[in-house]
């Protein structure tokens, strides 16, 4: 079978993660072992670098540097929020043709997968074959088909470790603590707040995911119940939490208090990089609930923000190894000319010991649509089940050791 | 010389740190070696547990548990924000007399030191001697006499690692990023944002401490200059930053936009547990600055909040060891009946290799007043000098390894 020989482009897209560079390094190191890839070009800032011809040659990058880059948070090549339309895809293809690019490795979420698919189809119809491989990454963990996605385990580890600390802090100086966690549509990352619980009264005591609409009356009743029992209450809430009418909760709260919500360049309500939701929820609780005796409650809100996806030094070893693996595998798959496109997918082997299988899935099964946090893993609309914890712990790995004087008795 | 023999109380006070339990464990383990201490009582929630007779007996706590507690963030005995007046101090003393308490080890900031001093004087005048030892802790690093305080190194490490990630995230998806860092009056923790910089264009590009009044015109000019040069800008700002008129900046911004500021139970403006300052600064920049061509800038604000002081798993080894040491030393000092009171102080040995001396300092030299970030370590009102970095690095220890493709050229 005649091989397709030519140059390759690798790029990174969307919100960065702590292990997206592991996948990049997996691609670079594996590409050196294969003859079908001549020059390996890293595109700066995703698709944007392709159309601007802004590439960095990666073939000769020394391993010492690559191993340091692999440990560095966020996208070393730069990322992009561009969502290419047909015309943009055409420009990408033109650049590929001009640069004799025959392979495109795109590390990103479901939008990136779709871009890659369109470019492959363009190439096929125009007589310049480009084989495209989507390498999954997203802290949201919301890709279909994939058991989980690289980036999730490390972000989940950050959230779990944060909540271990938040619980101890809140025990020490009791009050009501609201932690706002990333996740516009999927609750996987917020659910990770539960992973560090060890003692029966450990927080978070309430967990609200975007998959469940949030009724403010239920929230207040939940908080009141926990606070009455424990004298404190920790709430983990997704930034994308929705009100009963399906609008973003932050929008509903803003309307009530006559404030405006910020929107990003795509017209989406700005959820990250602002403390608005946390502060509004704190206001709601402070206004509606009181200590016995009528004293004002101590209510605080922290929004974890970009630290969740880019904090240097918090890595899940499993996540890092898997992110490297899916990068390598993408290049391996590309060596077979029958593989014209696909997303590298990890599925979980059945059995009690955690292990994965990797396969190449047609991109159309991955692109566009995302998956939700399974409803059967949501408990009482304000917590997660043990089944979720069993699912997530192998992805996150070891959490810090803690102790409490409660063990003395 | 006749020894003073009796029971001892150990307590934790104020905002917790990631190593405050190291000091506690240092006290417990050292107390077992000395005959002058009979029962060692841990008071729950600082001075509050003393007056409520809410103690836990610590003599027989197993080492395995203690070592886990030492690694656990925040105050394992619980903390307190109470600032005892004369009447409260009298109640503390009455409890000490009733429980035959002769030694009081109080782990806390400068207010805690003062409480201990008052109790010692009361005991002396009332004929029931209580020897009191202040064990320093504060992430603010603002105790006088002390070269640095336990808790600072670990919190500074968190901030430094956070900023390494923020820088990479902001390179990947460029824009203006504001990071609000703890510190009502002292800029030490915010200054730590500089510690992870490696490449010449690494952020934070602007650092504003409470020791320098912040002129909004200067801020906007600074941001404009950095953004014009780099196409991005990372700002690290203390939550306690003050306006030109000496008021908290958050208060001035709130007034301009007709909002109310929240105050805590002591009447202080609430700085932590809210995203208000960050969001207001983001608004200011968004309103006043524009991209070339008039396009809205991408401005985001994260407020690090309680994660800075309680995140599980981020510890400076030096900080942890020193926190343990000052706890041990306090008990050692108490074995000499000549030492009726004192604060355990670390000073730095002269020389190029980092090493400390420990001594006991009269509490009155430590209590009440705090120290500022040295003005000679502030550069151009928006950065810190190499002298600060040389001071802080031994306290923080190793930071995560990073790499960049910029090294290829």
């Amino acid at each position: 079978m005649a091989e397709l020989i030519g140059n390759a482009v690798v790029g990174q897209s969307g919100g960065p993660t702590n292990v997206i560079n592991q996948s990049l390094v997996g691609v670079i190191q594996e590409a050196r072992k294969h003859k079908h890839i001549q020059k390996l070009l890293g595109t700066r800032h995703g698709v944007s670098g392709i159309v601007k011809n802004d590439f960095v040659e990666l073939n000769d990058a020394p391993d010492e540097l690559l191993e340091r880059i692999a440990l560095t948070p966020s996208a070393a090549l730069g990322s992009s929020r561009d969502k290419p339309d047909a015309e943009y895809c055409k420009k990408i293809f033109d650049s590929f043709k001009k640069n004799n690019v025959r392979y495109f490795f795109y590390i990103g979420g479901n939008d990136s997968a779709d871009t890659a698919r369109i470019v492959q189809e363009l190439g096929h119809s125009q007589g310049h074959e480009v084989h495209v491989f989507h390498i999954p990454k997203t802290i949201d963990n919301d890709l279909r088909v994939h058991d989980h996605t690289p980036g999730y385990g490390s972000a989940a580890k950050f959230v779990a470790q944060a909540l271990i600390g938040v619980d101890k802090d809140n025990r020490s100086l009791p009050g009501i603590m609201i932690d706002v966690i990333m996740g516009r549509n999927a609750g996987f990352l917020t659910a990770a707040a539960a992973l560090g619980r060890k003692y029966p009264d450990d927080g978070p005591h309430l967990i609200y995911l975007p998959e469940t609409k949030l009724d403010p009356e239920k929230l207040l009743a939940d908080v009141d119940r926990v606070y009455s029992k424990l004298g404190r209450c920790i709430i983990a809430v997704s930034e994308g939490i929705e009100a009963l009418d399906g609008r973003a909760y932050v929008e509903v709260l803003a309307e009530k208090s006559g404030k405006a919500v910020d929107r990003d360049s795509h017209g989406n309500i700005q959820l990250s990089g602002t403390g608005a939701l946390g502060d509004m929820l704190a206001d709601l609780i402070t206004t509606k609930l009181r200590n016995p005796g009528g004293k004002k409650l101590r209510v605080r809100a922290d929004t974890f923000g970009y630290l969740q996806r880019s904090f240097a030094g918090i890595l899940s070893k499993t996540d890092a190894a898997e992110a490297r693996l899916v990068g390598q595998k993408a290049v391996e798959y590309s060596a077979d000319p029958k593989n014209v496109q696909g997303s590298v997918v990890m599925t979980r082997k059945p059995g009690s010991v955690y292990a994965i299988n990797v396969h190449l899935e047609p991109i159309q099964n991955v692109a566009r649509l995302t998956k939700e946090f399974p409803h059967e893993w949501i408990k009482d609309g304000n917590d997660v089940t043990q089944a979720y914890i069993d699912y997530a712990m192998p992805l996150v790995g070891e959490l810090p050791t803690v102790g409490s004087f409660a063990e003395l008795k």
Side-chain angles (χ1 to χ4, degrees), chain A residues 208-279:
Chain A
Y208 300 108
L209 308 184
E211 286 79 3
T212 311
K213 307 257 182 281
L214 183 62
D215 176 355
E217 296 307 319
K218 176 174 164 54
L219 169 77
L220 291 168
D222 284 349
V223 173
D224 194 39
R225 181 175 39 77
V226 173
Y227 190 79
S228 302
K229 188 178 163 195
L230 301 178
R232 64 192 193 95
C233 181
I234 298 167
I235 303 157
V237 58
S238 287
E239 60 179 13
I241 191 83
E242 286 181 0
L244 293 176
D245 63 3
R247 285 189 298 161
Y249 207 80
V250 67
E251 193 178 357
V252 174
L253 288 171
E255 194 180 85
K256 278 193 185 164
S257 57
K259 291 174 192 165
V261 292
D262 290 317
R263 288 176 186 275
D264 69 14
S265 53
H266 295 296
N268 294 319
I269 291 174
Q270 187 194 323
L271 298 175
S272 294
T274 164
L277 177 62
D279 287 353

Side-chain angles (χ1 to χ4, degrees), chain A residues 121-381:
Chain A
E121 287 174 3
L122 258 178
H124 185 69
S125 68
Q126 307 248 335
H128 176 89
E129 292 287 339
V130 184
H131 293 186
V132 303
F133 300 88
H134 169 245
I135 298 162
K137 90 63 234 181
T138 167
I139 62 166
D140 291 334
N141 200 39
D142 61 350
L143 297 192
R144 291 184 301 162
V145 190
H146 305 71
D147 175 76
H148 59 280
T149 49
Y152 175 65
S154 296
K157 188 173 161 73
F158 181 90
V159 169
Q161 293 190 198
L163 263 291
I164 292 173
V166 167
D167 178 72
K168 306 303 165 263
D169 197 292
N170 182 264
R171 280 174 188 277
S172 182
L173 292 169
I176 293 170
M177 186 73 217
I178 301 159
D179 289 320
V180 180
I181 297 168
M182 275 186 172
R184 186 179 289 270
N185 300 308
F188 289 98
L189 193 56
T190 302
L195 297 176
R197 291 195 293 217
K198 175 175 175 169
Y199 303 102
D201 59 346
D202 271 0
H205 309 100
L206 300 168
I207 300 175
Y208 300 108
L209 308 184
E211 286 79 3
T212 311
K213 307 257 182 281
L214 183 62
D215 176 355
E217 296 307 319
K218 176 174 164 54
L219 169 77
L220 291 168
D222 284 349
V223 173
D224 194 39
R225 181 175 39 77
V226 173
Y227 190 79
S228 302
K229 188 178 163 195
L230 301 178
R232 64 192 193 95
C233 181
I234 298 167
I235 303 157
V237 58
S238 287
E239 60 179 13
I241 191 83
E242 286 181 0
L244 293 176
D245 63 3
R247 285 189 298 161
Y249 207 80
V250 67
E251 193 178 357
V252 174
L253 288 171
E255 194 180 85
K256 278 193 185 164
S257 57
K259 291 174 192 165
V261 292
D262 290 317
R263 288 176 186 275
D264 69 14
S265 53
H266 295 296
N268 294 319
I269 291 174
Q270 187 194 323
L271 298 175
S272 294
T274 164
L277 177 62
D279 287 353
M280 289 179 193
L281 286 171
D283 279 352
L284 175 73
I285 294 170
T286 313
T287 312
K288 300 280 187 177
L289 297 181
R290 278 284 177 275
N291 259 317
K295 219 182 127 196
K296 199 175 158 190
L297 291 167
R298 178 178 179 267
V299 186
R300 299 286 185 269
D302 276 346
T303 302
F304 290 176
Y306 295 105
L307 303 186
Q308 297 163 88
R309 70 182 192 197
S310 295
F311 189 89
I314 299 285
L315 280 181
S316 151
K317 282 180 196 167
T318 301
D319 190 30
E322 290 179 349
R324 182 80 70 111
L325 179 70
V326 293
Q328 290 167 340
K329 281 285 179 185
V331 177
E332 266 183 46
Y333 290 129
S334 75
D336 182 343
K338 285 197 302 294
N339 294 325
V340 300
Q341 60 105 298
S343 177
V344 182
V345 168
M346 295 186 288
T347 53
R348 201 177 290 226
K349 287 184 187 171
S352 59
V353 177
Y354 174 78
I356 53 160
N357 286 313
V358 179
H359 74 274
L360 194 66
E361 178 88 13
I363 287 182
Q364 47 276 25
N365 297 348
V366 171
R368 295 213 200 110
L369 291 175
T370 54
K371 75 175 173 201
E372 291 195 327
F373 188 85
H375 283 248
E376 64 272 23
W377 287 354
I378 301 175
K379 199 161 88 183
D380 303 331

